[in-house]
Amino acid sequence: MSHDADFEAWLAEARSVTCEEVINRRGIQLSKGVERVGPCPACGGKDRFSINTRKDIWLCRGAGSGRSILLVQHLDGCDFLAACETLTGRPSPRGESGTRLSAGELAAREAERQQKAVAAKRADNEYRERERRLSYELFRSSIRAREAPLLLACLERRGLRLPPACRALRFAPDVPYFHGTAQDDLGRTYKRILFRGPAMLAAITDEHSIFRGLHCTWLDLAQPKGKAVIFDPDTGELLPSKKVRGSKQGNRILLSPANDASAPRRSIAGEGIETVLSVWAGLQAEGLGRPDTEFVSAIDLGNLSGAADGMVQHPSLVTVDTRGRQRPRRVSSPVPRMDSEAMWVPDSVSHLTLLADGDSDPFATRCAMERAQARHAVPGRHVTVAWPPLGFDFNDVLLGRHLAPAPGRVAA
């Protein structure tokens, strides 16, 4: 291989590192999803920084945008060659050295960033506390689930019912759905109410049983699954029928406590409310319920498993950038980052069963469940993962859908 070919291969290796991998390597915390948003790691703020995992592009509203090499230049205050050295872990094959900020300049920049981060964290905590109080007032003034025919009908449609001791679920007939922002005539920004409607409310609590947030699911019996279908009128984007207000990370929804709620011996935990209630209903129908078992929703997969320590290459999926180039997609690894927050589990639990979803990408889900299994394993606790049939979830199993013949095939 020629000298120039070595250099081109080195550049290609640097470019192959995705923006998501850059932030994961550095432990930078952003929101979940395709568009991951948060404070800029270099210049602070609250939500001025984002990466689009599908397009593999980062954006800082105060500094610019680009791909992974420009991202490292932005984060480290270095030039192109130095950024490539950081991404590849090797110097340039040409023997050229990159230019970086001096130690003093980096220290001053980091001190300024930390000051901004502290201020942003304080503002974020104040916002979350306001949201917690408002959410608690909404939950406290709502209707008990057993006295809400619409909620019960939506559950029944999915083959579900309320556990006798369930106190976490309630119903409100008119809950606002906030999405995006707008400006009034004076130029003041406010949160836009996109939709209003009936919703199931679920209390999110911490390890001391203190209310920390609210999980809302908007309902509509006219829809096959009983969940409202909500679109953004500006973009036509289909929006999730579920939202969380307050703080979910590290907390959980207790759907059915053990007889001794303060010291359960067994815990069955999954992502969504529907998944967990499906398993509860199935066990009750088979006469396999145990009084020492609690049933818990972690709200989402990230809170069930916690953050990953690094990324791994997906065996088959690829990412296509705006130039049409294909790169192997990278997903969160099965190794947990133990300093990250995840759903809490009572110390008394000796048997923990984690519920997987079989209708999500198998490889990424398996990585997440292995991470959750390792994360929650402590001396004296046995942690297992329960899997539904591939392509189905536990509600499908409860309703017998996994037994139906595949489309175009005739049952024997």
Side-chain angles (χ1 to χ4, degrees), residues 167-305:
R167 301 290 181 269
L169 300 183
R170 295 178 75 97
F171 172 81
D174 186 35
V175 179
Y177 186 103
F178 294 99
H179 181 73
T181 59
Q183 287 190 333
D184 61 19
D185 294 338
L186 299 177
R188 295 173 298 193
T189 300
Y190 62 92
K191 295 171 68 174
R192 181 176 61 161
I193 297 178
L194 198 64
F195 170 83
R196 301 187 74 99
M200 178 176 70
L201 309 179
I204 302 170
T205 53
D206 66 12
E207 58 195 292
H208 306 294
S209 300
I210 295 174
F211 183 96
R212 291 299 178 192
L214 193 63
H215 182 281
C216 306
T217 305
W218 280 265
L219 307 176
D220 183 357
L221 273 177
Q223 301 300 325
K225 294 187 177 182
K227 297 174 185 175
V229 176
I230 306 169
F231 290 93
D232 186 325
D234 296 335
T235 65
E237 176 189 6
L238 177 63
L239 301 173
S241 60
K242 305 174 183 178
K243 277 185 176 286
V244 171
R245 297 181 64 177
S247 300
K248 68 176 178 181
Q249 213 64 26
N251 303 316
R252 63 187 200 157
I253 300 169
L254 178 59
L255 294 170
S256 180
N259 278 7
D260 183 359
S262 63
R265 298 298 300 161
R266 295 171 179 268
S267 183
I268 296 178
E271 285 185 65
I273 293 171
E274 187 178 281
T275 291
V276 179
L277 288 183
S278 295
V279 172
W280 178 86
L283 292 175
Q284 296 300 312
E286 296 294 329
L288 299 176
R290 294 177 55 117
D292 62 351
T293 304
E294 65 172 13
F295 290 79
V296 174
S297 165
I299 305 158
D300 61 29
L301 190 57
N303 194 40
L304 184 73
S305 62

